[in-house]
Each structure stands twice: as C-alpha cells, then as structure tokens.
Amino acid sequence: MGSGENLEKVEAFFAELASEGRTIVREQPKLDLELYLQNYKGRTRFDRLYHIGRTSVVLSVDALKAAVAEAKAGKDVERYRDVVDALRRVSLSDPETELDKAWIEKTSSANKKETQHLESQLKVYRSNLVKESVRIGNEDLGRHYEAIGALAKASEVYGNMRTDASTPKHLIDVGKHLVRVGIQMRDWTTVTLQLGKLLSLQTQEVPEDATATLRYVNIAKGLAHLEAEAYKEAAQCFLSVDNNPRLASEPDIPSPNDIAVYGAILALATMDRSALKTKVLESQTFRPFLELEPHLRKALGLYVNGKYTACLEILDSCKPDHLLDIYLYKHVASLYKQIRTKCIVQYLIPYACIKLENLEAAFGKPGQSLGAELCEMIRSGVLSARIDSIDKRDTLEAVKWHQKRTLDDIRRNGLLALHVDIALKRHGSLRLGDSQGLDEVWYTEGRDPMDLAT
C-alpha cells in the first residue's frame, strides 16, 4: 500500500473517532514511547498504548503495534482482537494486522483450563475449612480473572477474600485489589468506598507500611476526585503523595512523573500565587516530583512571578502529551481554560484601564476573538470590569474606577438639585452623559474589582 493510501486510512480512522466525540491529537508529542512505557507494568501498559494509538495521529501505528505485542504477552484475548482491529484500520502493511488465530485458540484453551483448575482448587480448600487456604485460593482466582479481562468476576472474587482475612494486612490487600479493578472498570463509587476502608485500616499497620498505604490512597483518591471534576480536592491529594523513594510505586497506578503532571496542572488551575509558592514550589513533599518534570516547575515559577504569557506558552507546548494521558485527557480543556482565565485576571489587576490591543498582544490566539472571551469572563463573574468601545477606543476598564465616578456624579446631581453650580472635569475613556455610539458590557457585583473568583 502506498503512503498516500495509508495516510487516507489514518485520516478516515481518526475522522470516525472524532465523530464519536474522542479527542484527537494531530501535533507531534514530546514523549518517547519506549521511555514512557518503562514507568508502567501490568494491564495499564496496554490501556495507555491503546489510548495513545486511538488519540495521536503521529504515534498511532507505533502505539497500536506495541499494544498488539503487549496483548499477546498477556491472557486477554478480547483485548488482542480489539487492538488488531484498530491497527488494521490504520495500516495494512504490518504483519501484526493479521489475527494470530493459533495464539487465540491456544490462549483461550489455556484460560479455560486454568479457570476450571482454580475453581476446583478453591472448592477443595472450602471443604477443608482452612481459612488461609480459602483466602489464597480466592486471590489466585481473582488474579486469573483480572488477567483474562473478566473484571466483574475478579471484583466479586476479591471481595470474597474479606471473609477469610485474619490480619489488617490481609484486609488492606483486599482493598487494594478492589481499588485496582475498580479503576480499570472506571467504577469510581467502588474505588471511593474501598479507599475509605483502607484509610481506617492504615492506622493498624507498622509505620512504613502505613506510609505506603497512605501514599496509595492519596494517588487513587486523587484519580477519583479528578474523574468527579473536584479539581481542588484532587490537587490536594496529589500534592500530599509521599515522595520517599523506598516506597515501591504500584505498577498499575500513576507513576511519579504522572503525579508531578497531575499535581502541577491541578494546582495551577485551583490555587492562588501564594499557595502555589508555599504548597507546591517550596513543598518538601511535592518538589521532588516536580524535578521529574522541569518544564512544569518552570511554568509554575513563571506564574508565581507574574509572567503569565510565558507560563501559558509552556503549557501549550505540553498539551499534546497531556491529551495522551488516560486519566487527564478528558479534563485538559477545562483545566487549561481555568488556568488561562486566572492568568488574564491576574495580569489585569494593576490596571484601571487597558487597551484591548495590548491584551491581544499578550493573550491573543490566531483566529479567536479575545473580546468574546473577556465578555464571557465578565458575564460569568470571574472578571469585574467593562468593555468600552466609545469612539472606537476599545478599552477594558476596572469597575472600581467607575464606581468612584458614579459616586461623584450622584453627589453632583444632588448639589445641582439644590441649585449649586459645580463644574466637574470629565476625563478618561467614558462619557456617561452621551450614549451615542456606546457599545459596552457592564458587570456589577459587591466584590473587589479584577479579583479572581476562587
């Protein structure tokens, strides 16, 4: 197949995905696929490859081919079928696009035999009434179900372990199994419930184990809050993750690099400059994570130092990579919008009046109207200001200055009513007595002007 035909297949594939509402990344991402995958083990490796393959136009073929290899290294036959079908739709020249029917038959047969063996073994353990053997039997069967993709059955079997658990560690293992499967199923209700149980058990562990459990809980809870769009709470969770390198990172949950990305982006979207400085940049807990993502550390520093345009430029350069993350991608647009809004509001604080052309120079985007964005910010209450277009002098003016002018007018009118002649010099870009050519948006509210709503 020629390169032109192959390109047409790729475009058709992603056009169909886009019509289904998926986010498509056409830019060249910065991540190195091989180095990226070294951070993960287990089923999440396939999940991430499959997501990248169906999101990034540039990395699609390489990611899907790697996902095929990852699927064949496991036992989940349905995953293998799905990824081969996806790869076939973007490339016909690769041998991986042909289903390996021999592997499917061999793996399916082995899975069936292993299921029967583990179920029979569990029945024997139960008949012998040995609780520890029953617990281990349930765990083995649960791991098997999880490996072959029967996640609902795995969750049920893992739950059965609780009856035969005899120590806090056993109960914590149950909770972690259920959280891990719940995250894969995107069953955040179960995840949240089990995390609460883990927290109550964590106090019964020895200190080092308790710290490791709390670390796990903070990461998983952060994901649950992120999914619920509780961004401030999610930020607090990721910023609280212990950075002790002696604590083994769970292979199926976000890596230290992911924690740095989630924590930095969420903090930028939800915290003020003072909090970013003390709770993020100067945090003894979170700063080691930021060292893994120096560009985000730089973006945070730029924001804290009032260099908002440069901060947004760094974030925009990272956006393709963030859209390839299986947990973050759905929230990138919302989080980036919140960060941009904060930057614009903070930029405007020192000004009583500023020309829109100056704002366009700092924050303008090609083909997009900044005026429309400002109007939306004013109407939503995020920005206390007005847009004035009198005599084509497009300016954005702080409400506080106009509030003073209004009070002056009220006093003047009162004095005029008493026949006291007062001359008040009018100045600035606003002429209150003349409505000709006035094109403006007013916003009034009992708060300090230009103050960011948090």
Side-chain angles (χ1 to χ4, degrees):
M1 176 180 286
S3 59
E5 292 178 88
N6 200 56
L7 182 60
E8 288 180 6
K9 285 181 66 67
V10 172
E11 288 297 331
F13 175 64
F14 282 101
E16 182 179 341
L17 291 175
S19 69
E20 297 171 358
R22 282 193 65 85
T23 300
I24 306 302
V25 177
R26 298 187 176 277
E27 298 87 353
Q28 174 71 51
K30 294 181 178 180
L31 67 82
D32 181 298
L33 204 56
E34 292 185 9
L35 292 176
Y36 175 75
L37 288 176
Q38 291 178 9
N39 291 322
Y40 311 101
K41 296 180 181 178
R43 290 175 61 85
T44 193
R45 281 172 60 93
F46 176 91
D47 290 335
R48 290 176 180 274
L49 285 168
Y50 191 51
H51 172 72
I52 293 171
R54 299 172 75 235
T55 304
S56 173
V57 176
V58 177
L59 296 178
S60 178
V61 175
D62 289 340
L64 290 175
K65 288 171 65 176
V68 170
E70 191 66 31
K72 292 188 73 174
K75 302 178 181 179
D76 193 333
V77 174
E78 289 306 312
R79 279 187 159 189
Y80 172 69
R81 292 180 186 274
D82 289 342
V83 71
V84 169
D85 178 67
L87 180 60
R88 188 184 296 120
R89 295 171 64 187
V90 296
S91 174
L92 284 176
S93 59
D94 293 298
E96 292 92 343
T97 58
E98 293 295 326
L99 277 175
D100 187 341
K101 295 182 179 178
W103 179 87
I104 292 175
E105 184 177 348
K106 178 182 177 181
T107 304
S108 298
S109 176
N111 288 345
K112 186 177 181 179
K113 289 180 180 178
E114 181 68 6
T115 302
Q116 292 173 345
H117 167 70
L118 290 173
E119 288 178 344
S120 299
Q121 189 177 62
L122 182 58
K123 289 179 181 178
V124 173
Y125 291 154
R126 284 173 175 163
S127 64
N128 291 336
L129 301 177
V130 180
K131 295 186 68 172
E132 179 62 8
S133 296
V134 174
R135 186 188 68 82
I136 294 175
N138 274 314
E139 187 171 38
D140 291 342
L141 183 57
R143 289 186 185 278
H144 170 68
Y145 278 139
E146 185 179 356
I148 66 176
L151 297 180
K153 288 184 178 179
S155 182
E156 180 183 353
V157 173
Y158 283 142
N160 292 339
M161 291 173 59
R162 197 180 301 277
T163 305
D164 302 294
S166 56
T167 68
K169 184 182 183 308
H170 292 165
L171 292 171
I172 286 172
D173 288 343
V174 173
K176 286 185 176 181
H177 288 321
L178 292 172
V179 168
R180 185 178 64 251
V181 174
I183 290 175
Q184 293 179 67
M185 297 174 68
R186 302 301 188 263
D187 182 359
W188 300 107
T189 300
T190 295
V191 170
T192 303
L193 177 64
Q194 295 303 323
L195 289 175
K197 294 179 179 180
L198 283 176
L199 270 181
S200 65
L201 291 166
Q202 173 246 351
T203 57
Q204 303 177 36
E205 294 183 291
V206 297
E208 186 169 343
D209 289 344
T211 302
T213 299
L214 183 60
R215 183 181 192 276
Y216 182 89
V217 168
N218 280 328
I219 296 173
K221 188 181 288 188
L223 292 179
H225 284 313
L226 177 63
E227 181 65 22
E229 299 182 8
Y231 298 139
K232 187 172 184 178
E233 291 80 2
Q236 294 295 338
C237 287
F238 290 119
L239 294 177
S240 301
V241 174
D242 196 298
N243 61 62
N244 190 334
R246 292 180 300 174
L247 300 176
S249 180
E250 297 287 340
D252 281 326
I253 60 175
S255 69
N257 292 74
D258 294 329
I259 294 167
V261 171
Y262 301 162
I265 297 297
L266 289 163
L268 270 171
T270 60
M271 293 182 174
D272 60 28
R273 292 165 65 186
S274 175
L276 286 173
K277 185 174 186 293
T278 58
K279 297 182 180 180
V280 183
L281 288 173
E282 296 177 355
S283 168
Q284 296 300 312
T285 300
F286 192 71
R287 188 172 179 83
F289 288 113
L290 275 182
E291 299 295 334
L292 302 173
E293 300 289 337
H295 54 288
L296 288 178
R297 185 188 65 208
K298 184 177 181 181
L300 284 161
L302 289 169
Y303 181 89
V304 168
N305 291 319
K307 299 179 180 179
Y308 307 112
T309 303
C311 171
L312 292 177
E313 288 175 353
I314 291 177
L315 292 180
D316 285 339
S317 71
C318 301
K319 191 173 182 179
D321 287 7
H322 296 162
L323 288 170
L324 299 183
D325 184 89
I326 57 174
Y327 300 115
L328 190 61
Y329 78 99
K330 292 189 294 185
H331 308 279
V332 168
S334 175
L335 290 169
Y336 269 54
K337 183 178 180 180
Q338 289 184 40
I339 295 170
R340 176 177 168 82
T341 297
K342 285 179 62 181
C343 286
I344 293 174
V345 172
Q346 290 291 313
Y347 179 86
L348 290 171
I349 284 177
Y351 298 97
C353 180
I354 186 172
K355 289 186 177 181
L356 291 184
E357 62 186 50
N358 294 336
L359 275 178
E360 287 282 0
F363 296 102
K365 290 184 176 181
Q368 296 184 25
S369 170
L370 184 61
E373 185 176 355
L374 291 170
C375 287
E376 180 185 348
M377 291 167 60
I378 292 169
R379 291 193 182 101
S380 65
V382 173
L383 179 64
S384 292
R386 57 170 286 179
I387 297 176
D388 188 354
S389 299
I390 296 176
D391 297 331
K392 299 183 180 180
R393 292 181 63 216
D394 291 335
T395 60
L396 184 72
E397 302 171 336
V399 171
K400 182 181 290 184
W401 187 80
H402 289 289
Q403 286 175 339
K404 182 179 182 302
R405 290 289 308 278
T406 302
L407 288 174
D408 288 343
D409 284 340
I410 291 173
R411 295 188 185 100
R412 178 178 181 277
N413 291 334
L415 293 172
L416 287 176
L418 296 172
H419 306 291
V420 177
D421 187 15
I422 290 182
L424 179 64
K425 182 181 178 181
R426 293 187 177 275
H427 61 282
S429 61
L430 178 63
R431 296 178 296 181
L432 294 177
D434 183 7
S435 63
Q436 296 297 321
L438 189 62
D439 178 17
E440 59 190 4
V441 178
W442 279 99
Y443 176 77
T444 57
E445 183 172 291
R447 296 186 294 178
D448 288 338
M450 312 300 288
D451 190 21
L452 175 65
T454 57

